[in-house]
Amino acid sequence: KSSITGCTLAGGRLGAPTEQNGCGVKFESRGGLVEDCRITDCRPVGVVQHGTAVQIVGKGILRRTMIDHCTQGSVANCWGTIRVYGAVNAVIDSCLVCSNAAEWGGGIYVEGTAYVTNCTFAANSAKTVGSDLYLYNGWTNARFCNCVFAEAINGNDIHIATGAMTDEGVAAQLLSSFDHCLSESCYVAIGGGGPTGAMLLPTEKGNLNESAGFFDAAAGDYRPGRGSPLLAGGLLVPGMKKRTDLEGHPLVVGGRAPIGCYASPFKPGLLLLIR
């Protein structure tokens, strides 16, 4: 079990002759920890590599890490900038995943057990569907708490595919995987000819279906602006008071839990003009 702390991992490439997956970081069965890092400019070369930035197949922990500008390049059919595959208790916490692209799941592609908390997925794109999140084939043991899915470049923020299951109750069960999250768009596709279409995250679980109110999304600043619903809309869970946000600030401010990876509103610096 290895750990990587405080590093920039840039320019990761995987290519021929075989599919290996995880162009930046790959967590194998023993797990590992990556925290306070940046993973950027990773992509496959020549052949499909799923998880263009990160592949988690073990007990991997990804914490307070920014993942940006990772793409599938000229390779088709890559699944997820982050791909969780059959993992046991994968943890992704207080991360910013932005400006990435993949075939499905431009931010994250989940087909395994994962606990994703206080993460911000923004301005990602999917060539097919699931700009920020693609939740595959009924993984109801994946949990998303206090997460943001917003600013999809193309397609919907969240795409939930239930495979061969046709029951509308399956869609409701999958949607219950989201607790105190914010999404601007969600789409559920039920296999076998069942209903498909736009759906809302269940508000009775504290979820929000509205604009995130970022400070300046157009400029790539995904910190909450003043009055943003992200600042106090999160679920206060045990142990959160000991955690910090992406910038190292206390995650809980004034007894309030945020949605996303930032705990405080953007505060412009003081400008002094001396004549």
Side-chain angles (χ1 to χ4, degrees), residues 42-172:
C42 297
R43 62 180 172 85
V45 178
V47 297
V48 173
Q49 314 289 344
H50 302 309
T52 57
V54 178
Q55 164 101 333
I56 304 177
V57 296
K59 298 179 181 179
I61 300 174
L62 189 64
R63 179 183 296 140
R64 293 190 306 272
T65 291
M66 178 178 176
I67 301 175
D68 67 304
H69 296 95
C70 297
T71 74
Q72 65 188 58
S74 61
V75 177
N77 300 325
C78 293
W79 299 350
T81 296
I82 301 172
R83 184 197 185 201
V84 178
Y85 180 72
V88 179
N89 299 324
V91 174
I92 304 171
D93 175 55
S94 299
C95 294
L96 173 62
V97 183
C98 63
S99 303
N100 303 289
E103 187 77 28
W104 296 279
I108 183 171
Y109 185 107
V110 177
E111 50 181 325
T113 304
Y115 189 41
V116 186
T117 61
N118 286 98
C119 289
T120 297
F121 297 88
N124 299 296
S125 65
K127 186 176 180 180
T128 304
V129 289
S131 291
D132 288 325
L133 165 65
Y134 191 102
L135 183 59
Y136 178 72
N137 208 24
W139 281 102
T140 55
N141 48 359
R143 292 290 179 267
F144 304 89
C145 181
N146 297 347
C147 291
V148 186
F149 304 94
E151 300 292 327
I153 298 301
N154 64 316
N156 48 291
D157 288 315
I158 300 173
H159 185 94
I160 303 173
T162 66
M165 295 174 286
T166 61
D167 193 297
E168 284 194 58
V170 172

Side-chain angles (χ1 to χ4, degrees), residues 112-248:
T113 304
Y115 189 41
V116 186
T117 61
N118 286 98
C119 289
T120 297
F121 297 88
N124 299 296
S125 65
K127 186 176 180 180
T128 304
V129 289
S131 291
D132 288 325
L133 165 65
Y134 191 102
L135 183 59
Y136 178 72
N137 208 24
W139 281 102
T140 55
N141 48 359
R143 292 290 179 267
F144 304 89
C145 181
N146 297 347
C147 291
V148 186
F149 304 94
E151 300 292 327
I153 298 301
N154 64 316
N156 48 291
D157 288 315
I158 300 173
H159 185 94
I160 303 173
T162 66
M165 295 174 286
T166 61
D167 193 297
E168 284 194 58
V170 172
Q173 186 179 6
L174 287 168
L175 287 171
S176 72
S177 298
F178 298 88
D179 200 345
H180 287 75
C181 293
L182 183 146
S183 172
E184 294 177 351
S185 64
C186 178
Y187 187 92
V188 177
I190 299 178
T196 61
M199 298 184 73
L200 298 177
L201 296 184
T203 56
E204 63 270 19
K205 295 196 65 177
N207 295 306
L208 301 174
N209 299 282
E210 57 186 270
S211 174
F214 293 128
F215 176 72
D216 191 353
D221 191 333
Y222 302 110
R223 287 174 289 182
R226 296 186 184 278
S228 167
L230 305 179
L231 292 172
L235 177 66
L236 188 61
V237 298
M240 183 177 280
K241 292 181 179 179
K242 298 179 181 180
R243 290 163 49 195
T244 57
D245 71 1
L246 184 65
E247 297 183 317

